[in-house]
Amino acid sequence: DAGITQSPRHKVTETGTPVTLRCHQTENHRYMYWYRQDPGHGLRLIHYSYGVKDTDKGEVSDGYSVSRSKTEDFLLTLESATSSQTSVYFCAIGARGQGLREQYFGPGTRLTVT
Amino acid sequence: QKEVEQDPGPLSVPEGAIVSLNCTYSNSAFQYFMWYRQYSRKGPELLMYTYSSGNKEDGRFTAQVDKSSKYISLFIRDSQPSDSATYLCAMFPSGTYKYIFGTGTRLKVLA
């Protein structure tokens, strides 16, 4: 998985609780992304980061926040989890030098909100 | 209408068949086109990418882009049971960092 780990790999949580997912990379890549994958929707971008403390929204950012205090870590926080946020979450990294053609994905976190 | 359309399948073929997987798109600004393979309960892995129009070949895989028709294809020759997976197309315009993915086509290659 190209030096990308995600934690936790599985989580069950209750509606209304905050949840933080972590993505860690050992590739020193500048760009990092958070996606969610749902049946019938494919992969949808939540937020992305183009450097330490530099982040921007994707197409489905409502209800999510991110932080990146170090190159290797990108955190995704669900401020108050809802059942509609039950999904599989993937982190990805991309290298500027390759013109961002290539993104490499982590193994995913399966989140269930009850 | 979604920016990228992809038939979800499933597509079942016998071993050794030639497989054709396709995506259509609506945004003429898309310049980079990628194909990812995703096995069940795994993250997507990059198979191939092409820039603008044309063909690209890598072993049993050929990626084809027809920008005039806004249509991209992935061909798999001599398909194997190990090719059974979901195949996702992805694309983005030059100068942005935001991929748009298709929903994926599930492929089953029968031994």
Side-chain angles (χ1 to χ4, degrees), chain B residues 27-52:
Chain B
N27 187 347
S28 58
F30 287 139
Q31 294 281 354
Y32 293 95
F33 304 91
M34 278 67 60
W35 285 96
Y36 282 81
R37 178 175 61 196
Q38 186 176 21
Y39 292 114
S40 181
R41 296 186 171 261
K42 299 286 188 183
E45 56 178 319
L46 180 66
L47 273 179
M48 299 182 70
Y49 70 84
T50 52
Y51 171 69
S52 195

Side-chain angles (χ1 to χ4, degrees), chain A residues 9-10 31 33 35 37 40-43 45 48 57 90 96 99-107 110, chain B residues 2 32 34 36 38 41-46 49-51 86 88 92 96-104:
Chain A
R9 294 294 311 279
H10 301 271
Y31 293 87
Y33 306 80
Y35 293 89
Q37 188 172 39
H41 291 279
L43 281 157
L45 182 65
Y48 69 99
K57 295 179 180 180
F90 287 101
R96 186 77 170 101
L100 298 171
R101 296 186 286 274
E102 301 175 28
Q103 290 190 6
Y104 298 95
F105 285 79
R110 199 165 285 270
Chain B
K2 292 180 180 177
Y32 293 95
M34 278 67 60
Y36 282 81
Q38 186 176 21
R41 296 186 171 261
K42 299 286 188 183
E45 56 178 319
L46 180 66
Y49 70 84
T50 52
Y51 171 69
T86 296
L88 301 125
F92 64 95
T96 77
Y97 316 120
K98 301 182 183 180
Y99 274 27
I100 305 294
F101 280 86
T103 53

Side-chain angles (χ1 to χ4, degrees), chain A residues 16-34:
Chain A
T17 59
V19 176
T20 295
L21 309 182
R22 179 180 182 242
C23 177
H24 179 79
Q25 60 145 331
T26 58
E27 307 295 318
N28 202 36
H29 282 338
R30 181 179 171 191
Y31 293 87
M32 298 184 76
Y33 306 80
W34 276 107

Side-chain angles (χ1 to χ4, degrees), chain A residues 35-62:
Chain A
Y35 293 89
R36 60 178 290 173
Q37 188 172 39
D38 305 287
H41 291 279
L43 281 157
R44 292 181 291 174
L45 182 65
I46 304 170
H47 282 280
Y48 69 99
S49 169
Y50 47 97
V52 173
K53 298 193 187 326
D54 293 321
T55 64
D56 203 353
K57 295 179 180 180
E59 66 178 302
V60 289
S61 59
D62 288 348

